C-alpha cells in the first residue's frame, strides 16, 4: 500500500495526488501542501495543472473528427486552415495533422505567444506562427512540438465551429462528469487550486503560462481522480484504439518508447507495453500511465520538488503489484566512456526556447551549458555548466544526476563539415 505522506516527505515534494484505476474503480489519495507559504493541505479534490498530458485530450478531439470522417490525418493542414503559415512556405504546404500529432512537423515548437484569454486566442496564436522557423524537414524525425498541438486545437475549433475550450468541455469533460476540471485560468478561482513551486528553494511560481498554448498544455487542470477517469474512457472506448499504435520512434534517451497519436507508447523492462504522457508547467509535473492489457491506469500530480524519484517509487509499487510491470532502469555513465570526437561536437546549438553551448572538458568529457532564450525556460532551468561524457556513439550522458537520473543528449546527423548537426534533448537543436 502506498504511503504517499511518507514519500512526499522523503523526496522533498511540495504536494501530490495519486489516483489508481483498477477493475473499473478509482482509488485516490493526497499528501503535502498546496502552497508552502500558506501551508494549506492538498486534498483529493484539489486541482493541479496537468501540462502536456493535455495533448492526449487534444488528440482525442482530433481522433473524434477522424472517426466521423471530418478530418484526414494525411491531407495537408491547409485543407482545413488555408491561412496556416510558417517561415518555410514549402513545409507549411505539406505538413499534415499526423505530423503534428507525432511531433514530426519539424518547426519551432516552444512559442509562448501571449494572445490573451478570449475566444480568438488560438486563432491569433496560429497567425503569429508565420515566422516559426523550420528546424528539420517535415517527417525527418521526432522533435517535441508544443505549437503543433495549438494548430490541432485550431483545427478542432474550425471543424466544430466553437472555441477549443467549449469543445473540450462539451465533448470530454461534461460527458465524463468531471467536476474538478478547469479549462481556463479564470476557472481556477472556483476550485481549490495548487500553486506550482520553482527552483531549488521551491518558491511559489509568481505567474502562469499563456492561454494561447492551451491545446498543448498551458491551462488544463484537474484532480488526479478526474485524470484517471479520462484514462478509463480510453480503455472502455474502442474508437480511440488507433491513438495507441506506434507511429514514429523517439530518440533513445534511455526511457524507451515510441510516439503514437498523442499518446507515448512505453515499453517496460519485462517486455510489457503501455501508453502514457508526462506534463510540466511552471512548478507542476504530472504523470499518466495506462496498461490497456490489464485495465490499469495511474495518475500522479505534483506541484514542486524532485518528483521523479517519488513517481518511480509509486509506479513500481502499483504497476508491479497490479500488472507485474518492471520499470526500466535509467542509463548511468559508463565506467569506460565511449570516445567522443570533441572537435566535431563543440559549438552552439539552438532550439526555439534554448541554446546548448558545448565546450571541451577534461579527459573524456565535454561541458554543456543550457542557455534559456525566454522566460519560461529561464524559470524551469539553470544556466550552469554540466559535464557530459560518452554514453554511445550517438549519445552523451550527464556525469551528475538531475531529478533522480542522468540526462541523456542524443547526437543527430552531420553537417557539410562532418560536425554534429543537431543535439536532441526531446527538442532538436540545430548547430548555429
Amino acid at each position: 500500500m502506498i504511503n504517499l505522506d511518507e514519500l512526499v516527505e522523503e523526496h522533498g515534494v511540495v504536494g501530490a495526488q495519486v489516483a489508481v484505476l483498477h477493475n473499473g474503480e478509482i482509488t485516490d489519495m493526497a499528501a503535502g501542501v498546496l502552497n508552502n507559504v500558506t501551508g494549506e493541505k492538498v486534498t483529493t479534490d484539489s486541482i493541479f495543472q496537468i501540462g502536456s498530458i493535455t495533448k492526449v485530450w487534444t488528440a482525442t478531439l482530433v481522433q473524434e473528427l477522424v472517426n466521423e470522417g471530418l478530418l484526414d490525418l494525411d491531407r495537408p493542414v491547409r485543407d482545413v486552415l488555408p491561412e496556416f503559415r510558417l517561415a518555410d512556405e514549402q513545409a507549411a504546404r505539406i505538413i499534415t495533422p499526423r505530423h503534428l500529432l507525432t511531433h514530426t512537423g519539424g518547426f519551432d515548437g516552444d512559442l509562448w505567444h501571449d494572445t490573451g484569454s478570449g475566444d480568438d486566442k488560438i486563432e491569433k496564436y496560429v497567425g503569429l506562427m508565420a515566422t516559426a522557423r523550420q528546424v528539420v524537414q517535415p517527417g525527418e524525425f521526432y522533435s517535441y512540438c508544443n505549437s503543433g498541438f495549438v494548430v490541432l486545437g485550431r483545427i478542432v475549433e474550425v471543424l466544430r465551429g466553437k472555441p477549443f475550450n467549449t469543445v473540450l468541455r462539451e465533448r470530454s469533460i461534461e460527458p465524463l462528469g468531471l467536476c474538478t476540471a478547469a479549462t481556463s485560468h479564470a476557472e481556477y478561482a472556483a476550485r481549490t487550486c495548487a500553486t506550482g513551486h520553482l527552483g531549488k528553494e521551491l518558491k511559489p511560481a509568481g505567474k502562469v503560462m499563456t492561454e494561447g498554448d492551451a491545446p498543448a498544455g498551458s491551462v488544463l487542470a484537474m484532480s488526479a481522480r478526474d485524470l484517471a477517469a479520462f484514462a478509463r474512457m480510453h480503455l472502455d472506448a474502442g474508437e480511440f484504439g488507433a491513438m495507441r499504435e506506434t507511429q514514429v520512434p523517439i530518440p533513445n534517451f534511455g526511457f524507451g518508447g515510441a510516439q503514437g497519436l498523442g499518446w507515448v507508447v512505453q515499453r517496460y523492462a519485462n517486455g510489457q507495453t503501455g501508453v502514457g504522457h508526462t506534463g510540466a508547467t511552471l512548478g507542476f509535473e504530472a504523470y499518466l500511465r495506462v496498461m490497456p492489457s490489464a485495465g490499469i491506469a495511474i495518475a500522479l500530480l505534483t506541484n514542486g520538488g524532485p518528483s521523479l524519484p517519488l513517481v518511480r517509487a509509486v509506479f513500481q509499487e502499483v504497476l508491479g503489484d497490479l500488472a507485474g510491470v518492471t520499470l526500466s532502469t535509467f542509463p548511468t555513465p559508463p565506467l569506460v566512456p565511449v570516445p567522443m570526437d570533441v572537435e566535431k561536437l563543440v559549438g552552439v546549438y539552438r532550439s526555439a526556447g534554448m541554446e546548448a553551448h558545448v565546450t571541451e572538458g577534461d579527459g573524456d568529457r565535454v561541458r554543456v551549458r543550457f542557455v534559456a532564450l525566454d522566460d519560461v525556460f529561464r524559470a524551469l532551468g539553470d544556466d550552469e555548466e554540466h559535464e557530459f561524457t560518452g554514453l554511445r556513439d550517438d549519445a552523451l550522458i550527464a556525469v551528475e544526476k538531475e531529478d533522480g537520473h542522468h540526462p541523456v543528449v542524443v547526437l543527430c546527423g552531420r553537417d557539410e563539415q562532418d560536425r554534429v548537426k543537431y543535439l536532441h534533448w526531446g527538442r532538436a537543436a540545430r548547430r548555429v
Side-chain angles (χ1 to χ4, degrees):
M1 180 65 182
I2 301 167
N3 187 329
L4 191 59
D5 288 293
E6 185 176 289
L7 288 170
V8 163
E9 178 69 23
E10 177 185 352
H11 296 291
V13 171
V14 178
Q17 286 180 341
V18 174
V20 178
L21 169 69
H22 180 51
N23 291 330
E25 299 296 324
I26 297 173
T27 302
D28 60 350
M29 61 193 73
V33 296
L34 298 171
N35 184 303
N36 62 11
V37 175
T38 67
E40 185 179 357
K41 298 290 187 182
V42 179
T43 71
T44 54
D45 292 325
S46 306
I47 69 168
F48 289 64
Q49 290 186 348
I50 67 169
S52 286
I53 298 174
T54 304
K55 292 179 174 66
V56 184
W57 295 70
T58 300
T60 301
L61 298 179
V62 170
Q63 186 64 45
E64 286 183 333
L65 294 168
V66 173
N67 293 344
E68 294 172 28
L70 299 175
L71 180 67
D72 185 334
L73 294 184
D74 297 308
R75 293 290 304 163
V77 166
R78 283 189 176 172
D79 281 8
V80 181
L81 304 180
E83 70 279 12
F84 176 58
R85 296 286 185 275
L86 297 168
D88 186 326
E89 170 61 16
Q90 176 60 22
R93 284 206 304 266
I94 65 174
I95 286 171
T96 67
R98 191 180 301 275
H99 285 133
L100 305 181
L101 286 165
T102 58
H103 301 282
T104 56
F107 50 87
D108 279 339
D110 298 312
L111 306 172
W112 318 117
H113 297 309
D114 187 353
T115 54
S117 57
D119 287 347
D120 60 352
K121 58 184 177 290
I122 294 170
E123 180 181 9
K124 287 180 177 178
Y125 181 110
V126 173
L128 292 172
M129 288 179 60
T131 59
R133 69 183 182 125
Q134 204 66 27
V135 182
V136 303
Q137 291 305 302
E140 186 175 351
F141 56 76
Y142 169 101
S143 181
Y144 197 81
C145 188
N146 282 297
S147 55
F149 273 77
V150 181
V151 178
L152 289 168
R154 180 61 183 154
I155 289 173
V156 169
E157 289 188 330
V158 169
L159 293 180
R160 292 298 184 196
K162 297 179 180 180
F164 177 80
N165 288 6
T166 302
V167 180
L168 183 62
R169 186 162 291 284
E170 290 181 353
R171 302 193 69 90
S172 295
I173 293 169
E174 291 175 355
L176 292 173
L178 308 183
C179 59
T180 68
T183 65
S184 70
H185 295 150
E187 292 178 5
Y188 292 2
R191 316 305 199 266
T192 303
C193 185
T195 300
H197 295 74
L198 291 167
K200 294 177 181 178
E201 301 84 7
L202 295 178
K203 294 181 178 179
K207 60 181 180 178
V208 290
M209 297 174 70
T210 59
E211 289 201 20
D213 199 48
S218 63
V219 179
L220 191 58
M222 65 191 66
S223 66
R225 170 175 283 273
D226 277 0
L227 186 53
F230 171 76
R232 178 169 56 193
M233 180 272 290
H234 268 268
L235 292 175
D236 293 343
E239 63 264 32
F240 299 116
M243 293 172 60
R244 302 198 294 264
E245 297 175 3
T246 294
Q247 301 289 314
V248 297
I250 293 175
N252 182 7
F253 302 111
F255 295 93
Q259 183 64 47
L261 296 175
W263 287 113
V264 176
V265 182
Q266 290 157 326
R267 300 183 180 93
Y268 294 98
N270 56 349
Q272 294 198 61
T273 300
V275 294
H277 213 291
T278 300
T281 55
L282 296 178
F284 291 92
E285 292 186 342
Y287 304 81
L288 177 63
R289 300 293 182 266
V290 184
M291 299 296 296
S293 61
I296 293 169
I298 178 167
L300 200 161
L301 310 179
T302 68
N303 65 330
S307 63
L308 192 57
L310 179 150
V311 169
R312 284 183 63 83
V314 172
F315 282 3
Q316 185 57 71
E317 183 166 347
V318 173
L319 296 177
D321 288 350
L322 299 183
V325 166
T326 301
L327 299 185
S328 300
T329 57
F330 291 148
T332 56
L335 293 176
V336 180
V338 174
M340 295 179 286
D341 189 344
V342 174
E343 184 180 342
K344 304 294 187 183
L345 179 58
V346 296
V348 177
Y349 302 78
R350 182 179 300 154
S351 68
M354 190 179 296
E355 285 182 349
H357 295 222
V358 183
T359 56
E360 186 173 355
D362 298 326
D364 294 315
R365 298 178 178 181
V366 293
R367 297 186 181 96
V368 182
R369 185 165 67 95
F370 294 101
V371 179
L373 302 178
D374 59 48
D375 290 342
V376 170
F377 281 103
R378 272 188 283 273
L380 293 174
D382 63 61
D383 63 354
E384 298 175 2
E385 280 194 331
H386 300 269
E387 285 193 308
F388 280 75
T389 190
L391 175 64
R392 305 186 305 264
D393 288 342
D394 68 339
L396 309 175
I397 187 167
V399 174
E400 301 296 332
K401 279 188 176 182
E402 180 181 331
D403 194 19
H405 73 291
H406 297 267
V408 170
V409 173
V410 176
L411 317 178
C412 299
R414 295 279 172 161
D415 67 8
E416 299 80 4
Q417 301 174 48
D418 196 37
R419 300 175 302 178
V420 172
K421 189 173 184 179
Y422 302 98
L423 289 193
H424 204 312
W425 56 82
R427 283 84 166 151
R430 187 169 185 162
R431 180 186 286 273
V432 295

